[in-house]
């Protein structure tokens, strides 16, 4: 649904009052954060970081947006409690009150570098890592979960899905990245803190189940147990051929039912997600060995990563009409491939940000350039800016996430500055990132409360403040 600027302003974000500030010269830029007493969680380290970084931002509106967006996950989406005597953190995605394995991991990533100095913040990470492990053990094929692990889904679109729905599952779309993101979060937390506490036997059990699920979805011995059908007038909401997906030839890659956008794959081998799986499995091996001394788990993760990496070299590339070789978006193992890109990460253009490829890798540089060009049917350019969208919302809809990820992946100051300016100017006066905005009219946007995009924007500003502070001086 397209949310107009007026609806967003009237509707607010988690109870905050939104006041439009359409002009850069506006003198009144009131905070859009919830009142202190209404915030879900407050971290002193995060508050200090907001002050530190804000002092480096010369542009008033950009500074205001950073202060609104960076703490949004902690302010509005964290539900901290205790389960089995240990911390539990249920992190909702924003305007949908469920936990997505992908979103919750990405939402907390911008605070990783602060965890060592803030014990309460570490408790949130402990709770989320534990919650994700329990969720994976409920169903490794699910992408989203209920807060109550005994509850049936209350998402209207999931109520009649034909799949093996279990209590505690909100939606059961099989997405490779749903298992990759918890691996990445665990690795990021371990690297930042060297804290072994979250990596208990339950975490290791969930990690082993994740690896086993990836192996099953290589489909070397049949199509496996997962299928999904949904009654919808949108073909991207369901899977073809009785819910098992289009035909494929087993080549060592991992089959994927849905993209990170929650849209169904056309061809079953989603290349960005397979590349992410290689990276995440290797990161998992680091945590298994370092935090637990579990050589068997580390070896299992590494062996699968190596196998998928070999298959990617052989089957994951294609040539464009101009003859240039790039990473494909999806392939089927028979030699068929499609080139496109979707703003949701993992994406082809986000491979550098995720650490799946070196930033200067020529193959990826060609792929990214093609993704940001008319070679990608979901690259849009209009009066408000240019960027990548995807089928999820429709044509002409640019995802701010695509501009943020491009900036996080770039070494070109001009590119970063241009993206920052577009992000500043397409918030429709709300002070927050959105899911999408119309290429010609940013007042037409979707999702006024999308914590992943808000946090990612905050992550970008922190990165620029630390590495290229001159870009934040003065008005953009």
């Amino acid at each position: 649904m397209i949310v107009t600027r007026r609806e967003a302003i009237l509707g607010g974000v988690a109870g905050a009052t939104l006041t439009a500030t359409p002009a850069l010269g506006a003198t009144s830029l009131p905070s859009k954060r919830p009142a202190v007493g209404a915030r879900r969680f407050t971290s002193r380290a995060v508050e200090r970081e907001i002050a530190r970084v804000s002092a480096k931002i010369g542009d008033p509106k950009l500074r205001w947006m950073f202060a609104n967006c960076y703490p949004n996950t902690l302010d509005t989406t964290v539900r901290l409690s205790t389960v089995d005597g240990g911390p539990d953190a249920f992190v909702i995605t924003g305007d949908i009150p469920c936990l997505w394995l992908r979103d919750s991991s990405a939402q907390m990533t911008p605070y990783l570098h602060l965890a060592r100095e803030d014990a309460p913040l570490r408790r949130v990470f402990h709770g989320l890592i534990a919650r994700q492990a329990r969720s994976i053990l409920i169903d490794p094929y699910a992408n989203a979960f209920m807060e109550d692990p005994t509850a049936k889904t209350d998402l209207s679109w999931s109520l009649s899905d034909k799949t093996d729905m279990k209590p505690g599952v909100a939606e059961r779309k099989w997405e490779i990245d749903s298992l990759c993101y918890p691996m990445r979060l665990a690795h990021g937390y371990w690297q930042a803190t060297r804290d072994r506490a979250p990596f208990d036997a339950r975490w290791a059990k969930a990690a082993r189940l994740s690896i086993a699920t990836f192996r099953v979805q290589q489909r070397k011995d049949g199509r496996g147990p997962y299928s999904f059908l949904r009654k919808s007038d949108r073909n991207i909401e369901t899977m073809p051929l009785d819910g098992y997906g289009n035909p494929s030839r087993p080549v060592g890659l991992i089959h994927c039912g849905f993209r990170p956008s929650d849209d169904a794959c056309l061809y079953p081998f989603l290349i960005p997600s397979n590349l992410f799986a290689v990276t995440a499995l290797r990161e998992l091996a680091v945590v298994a060995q370092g935090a637990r001394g579990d050589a068997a788990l580390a070896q299992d993760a590494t062996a699968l990563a190596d196998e998928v990496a070999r298959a990617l070299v052989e089957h994951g590339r294609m040539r464009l009409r101009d003859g240039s070789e790039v990473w494909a978006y999806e392939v089927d193992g028979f030699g068929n491939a499609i080139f496109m890109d979707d703003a949701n990460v993992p994406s082809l253009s986000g491979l550098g940000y995720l650490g799946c490829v070196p930033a200067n890798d020529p193959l990826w540089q060609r792929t990214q350039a093609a993704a940001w060009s008319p070679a990608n049917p979901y690259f849009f350019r209009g009066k408000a800016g240019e960027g990548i969208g995807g089928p999820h919302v429709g044509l002409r809809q640019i995802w701010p996430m695509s501009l943020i990820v491009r900036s996080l992946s770039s070494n070109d100051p001009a590119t970063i500055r241009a993206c920052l300016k577009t992000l500043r100017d397409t918030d429709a006066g709300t002070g927050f990132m959105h899911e999408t905005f119309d290429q010609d009219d940013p007042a037409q946007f979707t999702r006024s409360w999308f914590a992943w995009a808000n946090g990612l924007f905050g992550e970008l500003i922190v990165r620029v403040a630390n590495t290229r502070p001159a870009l934040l001086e003065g008005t953009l």
Side-chain angles (χ1 to χ4, degrees):
M1 179 178 67
I2 301 294
V3 180
T4 67
R5 178 182 179 181
R6 180 176 182 275
E7 288 168 340
I9 291 170
L10 294 177
V13 176
T17 301
L18 293 179
T19 304
T21 54
L24 286 178
T27 57
S28 177
L29 295 171
S31 172
K32 303 302 179 174
R33 299 178 65 182
V36 173
R39 294 173 190 173
R40 290 284 185 176
F41 181 85
T42 300
S43 160
R44 291 183 179 180
V46 170
E47 296 302 321
R48 288 194 296 269
E49 186 76 337
I50 293 170
R52 181 187 74 85
V53 174
S54 294
K56 296 177 179 289
I57 305 172
D59 189 295
K61 186 178 180 185
L62 195 70
R63 182 170 61 247
W64 173 67
M65 291 174 66
F66 168 72
N68 293 331
C69 290
Y70 185 59
N72 187 245
T73 285
L74 298 181
D75 282 354
T76 67
T77 72
V78 173
R79 300 174 180 178
L80 191 61
S81 62
T82 300
V83 172
D84 297 333
D88 172 63
F90 190 80
V91 180
I92 66 173
T93 187
D95 52 12
I96 306 174
C98 297
L99 178 144
W100 261 254
L101 292 174
R102 170 187 57 252
D103 292 45
S104 61
S105 300
Q107 286 167 236
M108 288 299 298
T109 294
Y111 314 125
L112 280 169
H113 68 291
L114 303 172
R116 182 188 290 270
E117 63 184 275
D118 190 328
L121 183 60
R122 290 197 300 276
R123 182 175 173 83
V124 178
F125 280 104
H126 286 196
L128 179 57
I129 290 170
R131 167 64 75 153
Q132 290 180 340
R134 290 196 302 273
S135 298
I136 290 168
L137 291 171
I138 290 172
D139 186 357
Y141 287 104
N143 57 326
F145 295 85
M146 306 292 291
E147 185 169 12
D148 179 356
T150 68
K152 293 183 179 180
T153 183
D154 60 1
L155 298 180
S156 59
W157 55 86
S158 297
L159 295 175
S160 301
D161 290 347
K162 293 184 178 180
T163 188
D164 184 16
M165 289 290 286
K166 297 175 174 63
V169 171
E171 186 173 60
R172 193 174 190 254
K173 288 182 171 180
W174 162 235
E175 303 167 5
I176 292 172
D177 70 282
S178 290
L179 297 183
C180 294
Y181 268 103
M183 297 177 190
R184 185 179 193 236
L185 181 69
H187 179 262
Y189 182 78
W190 170 246
Q191 293 294 97
T193 66
R194 288 298 191 266
D195 176 10
R196 291 182 168 86
F199 307 113
D200 56 12
R202 179 174 51 202
W203 175 84
K205 185 178 180 181
R208 289 189 172 89
L209 180 58
S210 298
I211 295 171
T213 303
F214 283 160
R215 291 192 185 280
V216 169
Q217 286 304 315
Q218 288 178 298
R219 299 193 186 180
K220 296 177 180 179
D221 301 308
R223 60 188 184 181
Y226 178 79
S227 65
F228 182 96
L229 289 170
R230 173 177 291 174
K231 186 176 181 180
S232 174
D233 59 0
R234 293 160 54 92
N235 67 324
I236 57 176
E237 286 295 322
T238 191
M239 291 176 63
L241 296 179
D242 297 322
Y244 287 92
N246 283 321
S248 64
R249 185 170 69 88
V251 294
L253 295 173
I254 304 167
H255 289 72
C256 197
F258 292 85
R259 300 165 179 168
S261 59
D262 300 334
D263 297 340
C265 295
L266 175 62
Y267 292 141
F269 298 130
L270 179 57
I271 298 305
S273 288
N274 271 266
L275 284 160
F276 189 25
V278 171
T279 300
L281 285 164
R282 289 179 175 156
E283 291 175 341
L284 171 61
V286 171
V287 181
Q289 186 65 59
R292 290 184 54 81
D294 192 336
L297 177 55
Q299 183 177 4
D300 195 20
T302 300
L304 180 56
D306 291 345
E307 180 183 356
V308 176
R310 289 191 296 270
L312 281 162
V313 170
E314 187 171 354
H315 301 281
R317 307 177 188 189
M318 64 180 293
R319 291 195 179 274
L320 300 178
R321 292 184 64 185
D322 63 4
S324 60
E325 185 183 49
V326 296
W327 287 112
Y329 189 71
E330 290 171 354
V331 304
D332 64 0
F334 292 108
N336 299 303
I338 59 170
F339 184 81
M340 55 167 280
D341 203 17
D342 188 294
N344 286 266
V345 183
S347 58
L348 291 176
S349 52
L351 294 175
Y353 162 68
L354 290 175
C356 300
V357 297
N360 61 353
D361 175 65
L363 175 63
W364 179 65
Q365 289 285 354
R366 291 193 300 272
T367 303
Q368 184 195 41
W372 278 80
S373 81
N376 174 16
Y378 296 102
F379 172 75
F380 307 120
R381 179 182 287 125
K383 297 176 182 177
E386 65 179 33
I388 297 172
H392 192 71
V393 175
L395 303 178
R396 297 172 46 90
Q397 301 299 307
I398 296 170
W399 290 63
M401 187 177 297
S402 72
L403 288 104
I404 299 169
V405 169
R406 189 182 197 199
S407 300
L408 286 165
S409 307
S410 178
N411 290 316
D412 177 32
T415 296
I416 298 171
R417 187 177 183 86
C419 288
L420 287 173
K421 186 175 186 303
T422 301
L423 291 165
R424 182 198 65 184
D425 295 344
T426 55
D427 73 317
T430 67
F432 291 98
M433 295 294 104
H434 302 130
E435 181 185 50
T436 69
F437 62 89
D438 181 84
Q439 65 180 36
D440 292 326
D441 182 8
Q444 300 296 321
F445 61 83
T446 60
R447 297 189 70 177
S448 58
W449 181 18
F450 187 28
W452 181 10
N454 287 328
L456 198 63
F457 174 73
E459 183 179 345
L460 168 62
I461 299 299
V462 171
R463 173 87 63 88
V464 174
N466 290 341
T467 61
R468 297 180 182 275
L471 287 177
L472 298 178
E473 296 175 358
T475 301
L476 292 175

